[in-house]
């Protein structure tokens, strides 16, 4: 029973991470393509809230449910696929943390452009390119973690 509950919570958390990340990316890209500071300010504000409520919560709960699940099933944490999953989780986090700050900054730059009745400043485009580029390694890491969780390959690391 506990194992089933932990497995469900872990899968739900992984789904929230991937789904929220994909949704955020889609809506930010579409808003940015409009080049309308009002739209971008609104969408970026919503994205910041979504990242705080959904992504951050899942980021905290994933290692907890994963640890509990590994203990309940009897998998050693030194299992190769678990170690690699954790390394990829950290890698995804290293790209996600700056993205959170960038999203806040993009929102603020768009709000400033709206208030000044001005176009988006060049700093917006520079930050947006960094935000966009950070998404690729983060998403690739999460997808690789899904693969590792599903296949549990026999990986010898040490």
């Amino acid at each position: 029973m506990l194992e089933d509950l932990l497995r469900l919570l872990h899968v739900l958390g992984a789904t929230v991470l991937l789904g929220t990340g994909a949704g955020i990316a889609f809506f930010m890209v579409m808003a940015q393509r409009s080049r309308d500071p009002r739209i971008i300010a609104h969408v970026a504000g919503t994205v910041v809230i979504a990242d705080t409520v959904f992504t951050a919560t899942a980021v905290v709960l994933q290692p907890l449910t994963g640890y509990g699940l590994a203990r309940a099933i009897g998998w050693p944490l030194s299992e190769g696929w678990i170690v690699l999953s954790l390394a990829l989780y950290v890698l995804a986090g290293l790209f996600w943390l700056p993205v959170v700050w960038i999203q806040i900054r993009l929102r603020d730059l768009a709000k400033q452009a709206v208030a000044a009745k001005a176009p988006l400043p060049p700093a917006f485009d520079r930050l947006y390119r960094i935000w966009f580029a950070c998404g690729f390694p983060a998403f690739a890491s999460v997808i690789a973690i899904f693969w590792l969780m599903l296949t549990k390959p026999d990986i010898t690391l040490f």
Side-chain angles (χ1 to χ4, degrees):
M1 176 72 171
L2 177 62
E3 179 185 326
D4 292 335
L5 177 62
L6 287 168
R7 190 181 306 267
L8 174 64
L9 292 173
H10 197 66
V11 169
L12 288 174
T15 303
V16 166
L17 283 177
L18 185 62
T20 303
I24 283 170
F26 175 77
F27 288 111
M28 281 292 287
V29 168
M30 296 309 289
Q32 186 276 340
R33 288 182 54 159
S34 77
R35 301 301 297 165
D36 184 333
R38 291 174 301 127
I39 292 172
I40 294 168
H42 176 73
V43 170
T46 302
V47 159
V48 168
I49 293 167
D51 242 356
T52 303
V53 172
F54 298 108
T55 311
T57 301
V59 162
V60 170
L61 292 177
Q62 275 309 98
L64 298 175
T65 59
Y67 175 79
L69 185 58
R71 294 315 242 181
I73 292 174
W75 290 323
L77 296 179
S78 60
E79 191 80 33
W81 69 269
I82 294 176
V83 172
L84 187 52
S85 294
L86 290 170
L88 288 167
Y89 192 74
V90 169
L91 180 66
L94 290 174
F95 282 96
W96 176 68
L97 287 172
V99 159
V100 172
W101 176 83
I102 291 170
Q103 288 168 173
I104 292 168
R105 189 72 185 116
L106 292 173
R107 177 201 62 197
D108 293 347
L109 288 169
K111 283 182 175 180
Q112 291 168 4
V114 169
K117 294 182 174 43
L120 296 166
F124 179 92
D125 293 317
R126 281 193 302 276
L127 282 173
Y128 176 81
R129 284 191 295 274
I130 294 167
W131 174 88
F132 189 83
C134 285
F136 289 98
F139 271 107
S141 295
V142 171
I143 289 170
I145 294 167
F146 265 82
W147 181 81
L148 289 166
M149 286 191 317
L150 290 170
T151 62
K152 298 169 194 60
D154 185 19
I155 298 173
T156 305
L157 297 174
F158 307 105

